[in-house]
């Protein structure tokens, strides 16, 4: 159970990427009061939790309805996560997030960023959805299911804390430390993605 929790926690932490989301959130909420920043951070994580919970609980039924085998989803999900890892290592993902944030910031009528772009697609994006579905499909039994959901809850709680403290954290750590952390997490995610592909190939070909 401990191993499953650690594996799920690391996978979700790397994909959701609280250190990468914090500076984006700080930039999006520059004109907001501390209370507004806190409320938007809590709301964004809550909405992201609902989205990911829906896919966690009903993702397997969706695969069955589409006649998609679990091993095929493992392979596809592995490639998707590997692409995210590639972008993290070479800072493409951060650049894309910043461009998205600039578009939102350039629209005066958009004040509440909790739903878009924070909850979706920054926190509950395609990578996070694929990751939670893969982890839930690997969990067997109610106990392991709660372990994976507990890991998701822990990651989103840490993300909420990172968003709430985004401004002071960015001043303390700076852009260089954030870039190093993002690259390290990207390398780790690449290894996890490769393992998903290997497991999918083994299951598909009975190796």
């Amino acid at each position: 159970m401990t191993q499953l929790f650690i594996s799920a926690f690391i996978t979700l932490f790397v994909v959701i990427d609280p250190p990468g989301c914090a500076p984006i959130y700080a930039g999006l909420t520059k004109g907001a009061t501390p209370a507004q920043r806190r409320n938007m951070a809590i709301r964004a994580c809550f909405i992201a939790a609902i989205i990911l919970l829906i896919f966690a609980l009903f993702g397997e039924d969706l695969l069955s309805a589409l006649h998609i085998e679990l091993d095929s989803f493992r392979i596809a999900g592995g490639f998707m996560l590997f692409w995210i890892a590639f972008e993290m290592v070479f800072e493409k993902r951060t650049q894309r997030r910043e461009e998205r944030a600039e578009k939102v910031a350039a629209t005066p009528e958009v004040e509440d960023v909790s739903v878009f772009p924070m909850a979706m697609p920054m926190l509950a994006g395609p990578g996070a959805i694929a990751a939670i579905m893969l982890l839930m499909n690997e969990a067997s039994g109610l106990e392991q299911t709660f372990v994976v959901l507990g890991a998701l809850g822990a990651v989103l709680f840490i993300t909420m804390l990172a968003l709430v403290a985004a401004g002071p954290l960015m001043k303390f750590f700076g852009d260089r430390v954030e870039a190093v952390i993002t690259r390290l997490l990207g390398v780790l995610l690449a290894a996890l993605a490769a393992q998903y592909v290997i497991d999918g190939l083994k299951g598909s070909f009975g190796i």
Side-chain angles (χ1 to χ4, degrees):
M1 290 299 170
T2 304
Q3 186 177 359
L4 176 63
F5 180 85
I6 293 173
S7 175
F9 179 86
I10 292 174
T11 302
L12 292 169
F13 186 89
V14 171
V15 174
I16 294 174
D17 189 20
C21 290
I24 304 297
Y25 182 74
L28 284 172
T29 56
K30 276 182 180 177
T33 64
Q36 287 174 327
R37 289 177 189 160
R38 184 175 61 253
N39 290 336
M40 282 190 286
I42 295 171
R43 196 179 303 119
C45 292
F46 180 74
I47 294 169
I50 293 175
I51 294 170
L52 293 174
L53 188 61
I54 290 172
F55 280 97
L57 296 177
F58 305 108
E60 191 172 353
D61 294 333
L62 177 62
L63 290 180
S64 299
L66 296 174
H67 303 289
I68 298 173
E69 293 184 2
L70 177 57
D71 291 317
S72 299
F73 187 78
R74 281 197 182 104
I75 295 171
F79 281 124
M80 184 182 293
L81 296 179
F82 187 85
W83 179 253
I84 293 174
F86 178 86
E87 290 188 328
M88 289 174 71
V89 172
F90 293 98
E91 291 193 332
K92 299 293 184 182
R93 193 185 189 202
T94 302
Q95 180 182 350
R96 190 173 67 252
R97 277 176 166 172
E98 289 173 349
E99 289 172 356
R100 189 184 295 133
E102 287 173 5
K103 289 180 181 178
V104 174
T107 309
E109 63 268 17
V110 177
E111 296 180 358
D112 190 348
V113 298
S114 59
V115 179
F116 176 85
M118 289 310 303
M120 186 80 177
M122 286 191 180
L123 300 181
I129 291 171
I132 192 62
M133 287 178 67
L134 285 169
L135 289 166
M136 288 295 289
N137 283 320
E138 288 183 356
S140 58
L142 192 61
E143 192 173 351
Q144 290 191 1
T145 298
F146 279 115
V147 169
V148 173
L149 293 178
L152 173 63
V155 171
L156 287 175
F157 181 74
I158 292 172
T159 304
M160 183 184 67
L161 294 179
L163 296 183
V164 170
L169 280 175
M170 290 308 102
K171 291 179 183 178
F172 180 75
F173 287 114
D175 294 335
R176 292 183 179 179
V177 174
E178 189 268 328
V180 171
I181 293 173
T182 299
R183 282 189 168 94
L184 288 174
L185 292 175
V187 173
L188 186 60
L189 180 59
L192 290 168
Q195 189 61 52
Y196 279 133
V197 174
I198 291 170
D199 292 341
L201 291 172
K202 284 181 176 179
S204 295
F205 296 102
I207 301 173

